[in-house]
Amino acid sequence: MSQLRSTLEFLVYDWLQAENLTSRDRYADHSRETFDAVMDTCERIAREKYAPFNRTVDTQEPTFDGEKVSQPQCTHDARKAFADSGMLSAAQPYEKGGMQLPYVVEAAANSFFGCASISIGSNLLTVGNANLLRVHGTPMQQQVFADNEFNGRWAGTMALSEPQAGSSLSDILTRAEPDGADFDSDALGARYRLKGNKMWISSGDHELTENIVHLVLAKIPGPDGKLIAGVKGISLFIVPKKLVDTDGNLTGERNDVALAGLNHKLGWRGTTNTLLNFGEGKYPVRGGAGAIGYLVGKPHEGLKCMFHMMNEARIGIGMAATMLGLAGYYASLEYAKNRPQGRPTTEGGKDAASAQVAIIEHTDVKRMLLAQKAYCEGALALNMYCARLVDEGRTGAAEEAVRSKLLLEVLTPIAKSWPSENCLEANSLAIQIHGGYGYTRDFPVEQYWRDNRLNMIHEGTHGIQAADLLGRKVRMQDGAGLQLLAQTMQATIKKAAARPELAQYAHDLNQALQDVSAATQAAWLTGNPQEALANAVPYMQAFGHTVLAWVWLDVACKVLEQDASQALAANAGRINAISYFYRYELPKITAWLNVVNARDMTCAQMPVEAF
Amino acid sequence: MSQLRSTLEFLVYDWLQAENLTSRDRYADHSRETFDAVMDTCERIAREKYAPFNRTVDTQEPTFDGEKVSQPQCTHDARKAFADSGMLSAAQPYEKGGMQLPYVVEAAANSFFGCASISIGSNLLTVGNANLLRVHGTPMQQQVFADNEFNGRWAGTMALSEPQAGSSLSDILTRAEPDGADFDSDALGARYRLKGNKMWISSGDHELTENIVHLVLAKIPGPDGKLIAGVKGISLFIVPKKLVDTDGNLTGERNDVALAGLNHKLGWRGTTNTLLNFGEGKYPVRGGAGAIGYLVGKPHEGLKCMFHMMNEARIGIGMAATMLGLAGYYASLEYAKNRPQGRPTTEGGKDAASAQVAIIEHTDVKRMLLAQKAYCEGALALNMYCARLVDEGRTGAAEEAVRSKLLLEVLTPIAKSWPSENCLEANSLAIQIHGGYGYTRDFPVEQYWRDNRLNMIHEGTHGIQAADLLGRKVRMQDGAGLQLLAQTMQATIKKAAARPELAQYAHDLNQALQDVSAATQAAWLTGNPQEALANAVPYMQAFGHTVLAWVWLDVACKVLEQDASQALAANAGRINAISYFYRYELPKITAWLNVVNARDMTCAQMPVEAF
């Protein structure tokens, strides 16, 4: 069994008790065997159709000849294998052709793809798009658009950013105006004409599927013809690349969505990233000006609808960062076991005449491996925990469902940001272990590092996540989310305190939790957001390390419950990883929280001309 | 004046008082004007011949057709402009055609090239090579080889590593055997035949110069024909690519040094990096087997000779990392000033109807800029300080020269490692400020980040620097080096303590110095190198942060002495940068030193099978 598989099984089955979900109606037909079968399939497809081509998609970037995008054959093959596996509709109900799979199992199974080649596929975007329509679309929109995304015929995108408005969605300029007098009576939804440019659209154009379903944010002008300022004016539209009828057949009409250009990226090159022009007139359609789009939900509630997709996407990014981190860990572990170099340090120094050892015998190499393990397996545990919360929110008993949703809200910025930062650092350590070889393109680790650098940027930058955490998540409902997280951590602390091997860590976590709580108070003491949020990123870093310390401690409780002697090497490794995390990492929070507590304004007050 | 120029002038003239050097005989003909003229020339060449082509050398990697290496024309032009400027022999005496320039001015002037395009040239290697020959070569070797490197005809390399021996030089297998009975009577030096492979040789082959002078480490077999184990068996040889006579004319004979392949790297692509075969028979020469090489210095003392070059190279790497960091800082500063996005946070939240502001107005962007400034200008100050120590070591009064050399010895691992780690992080922040644009190849910052990743690897990895620092430098001469550094820091602390604005920082630095000293003791308490060195890298990180805090404090003293009101924006910026460093960075040392003090063996004791 692969190391990733066994780690996932420990986390999902042993730690998170995923089999218990089969006692719920929705998952009643499932069992450990059906879960394992899905994992088997995904692991096989990832091994056969993804991993061998990870470098191919890096070196053979997508190209655009003015009409069509070209990508290597392996990208088409990987897309087909994924769609054929049924994973696009894994979570959908049986009557929709789905598997009714719990999200935690779906996420675990999908992780094989992320580890094998993060950028060759962008299927999670399609699933997220269709899931959004499942919640906010009309029955007809669901049938025509969502169903054809889930069944693999079409792909989906989310089109939010514009060249002049990246993180600042209130400034988007794309306009949507009613398309004729009968605009409100189209069976596919109120019909509008859209004009504007969308930037950073992943999979915004390609030839992998028959059609592409864009979910586009745009503003409907007010009676005065002006766009409403701020996010309140934003509405959401389905804008298909090619127009379709109510049976989901292509009508043969190309919609006026034109690829203006491909972005040439540092990494993540298997996925196109695009600038799209909507309604610029390259493909005039049905005698009018503008791209045809169908309203989703109510006017001016577009951002609320889109957030449904963004939260899912943020957890997906956390998983992507984690899998790139683990891919680098496995690669550098393999290298370190097989590369002879140097001799062990002994009390008498080094004996030049003795045989060389594998570099994994050197303490500093072990340190770099253990750091990667602690970061990446910890991040995986956190993300699996969040996935489990999604299931609880969907199928748990009423009160538990509410609690799970609240806890997930608080944890989402950490699930996205923490792996993006720390698993990137893990990839850097993987390069370092390889020495000069790691700096060459003959080994995979430099690509993991490049690919991973995207994750602190897309789906809300690090700064946006931090502002969300400290500005909103820990304060919402009078701090109920933070309180719930604290209670949940306390339960772990109590369990761990009873175990002599973990008592010190339980004590440390309790202290860290108090420190984070105190810093939250201190940040908001003056009630001035300028002061409170001046150090939102250091706050998030400390918060994240504390969350990870908690996750590791909870994992360690399970390890000792299973195997107190740690006779199993994997369990001994987990106990070492938690030791590493508590001794080398958790103490870092003091430095981060110092500036939060002081509401340090050094950065805020730096005059622009003094840089 | 460019920002880099004014920062250099402040550091070199105001802070380090470089003009005082003109009171020494060697520099008596120099003045501020002659120094400035050199800076002018380098700044201009860097602007005209380097900066415009930095992306060109990234996208047009060197290629090899089996006989010759091709590089873009701009690489040839940059090399020619540099050689024509006389900078190759800037430090050489007048009678050798040099400028007798102090090293601190040479290093400052060279920094323009690093900032404009780090990889288009590799002239510092040539200078380092020739400098080594100046110290260890015979008069004839100096005249034939060093002079022709200094005058720009030929280029130089250092060939240490082998495919199976990277950091572990004791395991090199390249053999050198006397070439015939008359081997010892060659005017160019004792003549040997070399056979072996050398890996990671920068500028190991190219067509930029008429000839290439390789300095090669190899082992002379003992009487039993076996190589001596360990570093003691290593000797140093000049192995020219093309053979030359005693007048420095090419004889028309190609030496048996063959390019086996170019390494394809993550970055730093303007410089070839090569695997070279010595004496494999591709270019048989003078009827014998093996590449012809001339012994430098005494047999078996090769590594000692080479260390002369390596120390210089290590400071050069620190400067390279620093200049890449500054290049990213300047690029992201420019971007942040010009990119409108979002609105300021006010006490009442955000006003969607107000105009967007440049992103430099956002506190988190300021934080990322100030971090870059604190890292990169701090690193520049440290490296300039080290360069000044080189001058002091060369031309200072006897006792002062000895002290300067000792201090430089202790600081070298920090001058190399600290910028490599922290200016790389600065480059990541530069990407982050650019958002999605920073992840594209349309902006320069992603290349700086890729280029900079090399610096923690070459010229001794991070782990090697840490072992050198904690294993050797702070212990040598009964800790005299560390003691000298502490005294030097104490002088700064005393100066700063008298200034109310700096008194707190003086106190903090004093504490940090005590903490580092105590950790040094604690690490070696048991005298067991396995325990002492188990956390050598965290020790080096803490040591480095303390050194940088000291450098910044000393810089701040100069700022206040000059301009107590900080009316000058640049000086206000420096005071903010020191505030940032002491509040956000220096407190991190506690976490690093914890594990050093505890001689934490978590990593060392991790069983291999538990990873």
Side-chain angles (χ1 to χ4, degrees), chain B residues 266-431:
Chain B
L266 170 58
W268 209 287
R269 292 182 185 158
T271 304
T272 57
N273 186 272
T274 61
L275 172 61
L276 296 178
N277 290 342
F278 289 83
E280 69 158 7
K282 183 168 179 181
Y283 303 105
V285 59
R286 293 187 188 168
I292 290 175
Y294 305 99
L295 183 69
V296 179
K298 293 185 186 152
H300 312 310
E301 294 191 0
L303 207 56
K304 209 175 77 185
C305 298
M306 195 57 109
F307 263 111
H308 184 272
M309 185 168 177
M310 280 163 66
N311 279 333
E312 229 176 274
R314 285 174 179 179
I315 294 173
I317 298 307
M319 274 300 283
T322 301
M323 300 325 297
L324 284 166
L326 279 170
Y329 171 57
Y330 297 142
S332 59
L333 177 57
E334 181 74 12
Y335 183 84
K337 283 179 177 171
N338 291 299
R339 167 78 178 172
Q341 184 93 188
R343 289 162 187 79
T345 305
T346 63
E347 295 211 24
K350 295 190 186 230
D351 176 6
S354 64
Q356 295 205 56
V357 295
I359 61 171
I360 198 169
E361 301 291 343
H362 300 309
T363 299
D364 196 52
V365 173
K366 286 188 175 184
R367 179 185 62 82
M368 292 190 281
L369 287 169
L370 197 48
Q372 288 179 72
K373 186 180 176 73
Y375 294 154
C376 303
E377 292 187 1
L380 184 62
L382 170 62
N383 275 282
M384 286 296 122
Y385 186 91
C386 288
R388 187 72 178 72
L389 289 179
V390 171
D391 287 321
E392 217 52 51
R394 284 181 189 160
T395 62
E399 202 186 329
E400 188 56 28
V402 170
R403 284 167 59 92
S404 297
K405 283 179 187 170
L406 181 60
L407 192 52
L408 184 62
E409 281 286 306
V410 179
L411 287 174
T412 297
I414 301 301
K416 194 271 182 185
S417 68
W418 199 90
S420 300
E421 180 173 350
N422 293 280
C423 298
L424 176 68
E425 178 58 24
N427 286 151
S428 186
L429 294 171
I431 293 175

Side-chain angles (χ1 to χ4, degrees), chain A residues 152-197:
Chain A
R153 271 182 75 198
W154 302 341
T157 75
M158 48 196 292
L160 288 73
S161 302
E162 301 187 1
Q164 82 296 344
S167 294
S168 176
L169 288 175
S170 61
D171 292 299
I172 64 168
L173 295 175
T174 299
R175 300 170 72 95
E177 306 207 35
D179 183 31
D182 67 339
F183 83 99
D184 214 11
S185 56
D186 196 306
L188 293 174
R191 199 179 58 242
Y192 285 74
R193 290 280 187 165
L194 280 78
K195 289 187 191 172
N197 311 306

Side-chain angles (χ1 to χ4, degrees), chain B residues 75-110:
Chain B
T75 308
H76 293 261
D77 296 344
R79 157 77 200 182
K80 181 170 186 313
F82 188 91
D84 288 351
S85 76
M87 284 302 287
L88 284 163
S89 57
Q92 298 305 307
Y94 296 131
E95 65 271 21
K96 286 286 188 181
M99 302 186 210
Q100 270 178 227
L101 204 63
Y103 184 66
V104 67
V105 178
E106 181 187 0
N110 274 325

Side-chain angles (χ1 to χ4, degrees), chain A residues 81-327:
Chain A
F82 188 90
D84 289 351
S85 77
M87 283 304 287
L88 285 163
S89 58
Q92 298 304 306
Y94 296 131
E95 65 271 21
K96 288 285 186 182
M99 300 186 209
Q100 272 181 222
L101 205 63
Y103 184 65
V104 66
V105 179
E106 182 187 356
N110 274 324
S111 70
F112 293 107
F113 301 107
C115 193
S117 180
I118 195 65
S119 77
I120 203 171
S122 62
N123 302 298
L124 299 188
L125 264 180
T126 298
V127 172
N129 175 309
N131 275 336
L132 182 152
L133 292 176
R134 191 68 89 216
V135 176
H136 298 288
T138 63
M140 176 64 83
Q141 287 174 335
Q142 293 188 40
Q143 184 186 316
V144 171
F145 296 105
D147 286 2
N148 280 311
E149 294 186 80
F150 283 131
N151 69 22
R153 271 182 75 198
W154 302 341
T157 75
M158 48 196 292
L160 288 73
S161 302
E162 301 187 1
Q164 82 296 344
S167 294
S168 176
L169 288 175
S170 61
D171 292 299
I172 64 168
L173 295 175
T174 299
R175 300 170 72 95
E177 306 207 35
D179 183 31
D182 67 339
F183 83 99
D184 214 11
S185 56
D186 196 306
L188 293 174
R191 199 179 58 242
Y192 285 74
R193 290 280 187 165
L194 280 78
K195 289 187 191 172
N197 311 306
K198 290 291 176 180
M199 186 59 161
W200 311 122
I201 312 309
S202 285
S203 294
D205 205 0
H206 55 72
E207 301 296 325
L208 302 172
T209 51
E210 183 192 66
N211 202 2
I212 301 173
V213 180
H214 302 289
L215 282 176
V216 182
L217 293 183
K219 289 187 173 183
I220 302 171
D224 60 353
K226 289 190 183 154
L227 299 183
I228 301 167
V231 296
K232 286 185 289 289
I234 299 177
S235 304
L236 179 65
F237 301 87
I238 296 167
V239 185
K241 176 179 174 180
K242 298 173 184 172
L243 296 185
V244 302
D245 64 21
T246 52
D247 293 327
N249 298 311
L250 302 190
T251 64
E253 299 159 296
R254 171 77 195 242
N255 200 1
D256 196 6
V257 183
L259 176 59
L262 295 170
N263 290 312
H264 296 101
K265 293 169 291 178
L266 169 59
W268 208 288
R269 294 183 184 157
T271 304
T272 58
N273 186 273
T274 62
L275 172 59
L276 295 178
N277 289 343
F278 289 84
E280 69 157 8
K282 182 167 181 182
Y283 303 104
V285 60
R286 292 187 189 168
I292 291 176
Y294 307 99
L295 182 69
V296 179
K298 294 187 185 148
H300 311 310
E301 295 192 356
L303 206 55
K304 211 175 75 184
C305 297
M306 196 55 111
F307 264 111
H308 184 270
M309 186 170 175
M310 281 164 65
N311 279 334
E312 229 174 272
R314 285 174 179 179
I315 295 173
I317 298 308
M319 274 299 283
T322 302
M323 300 324 297
L324 283 166
L326 279 169

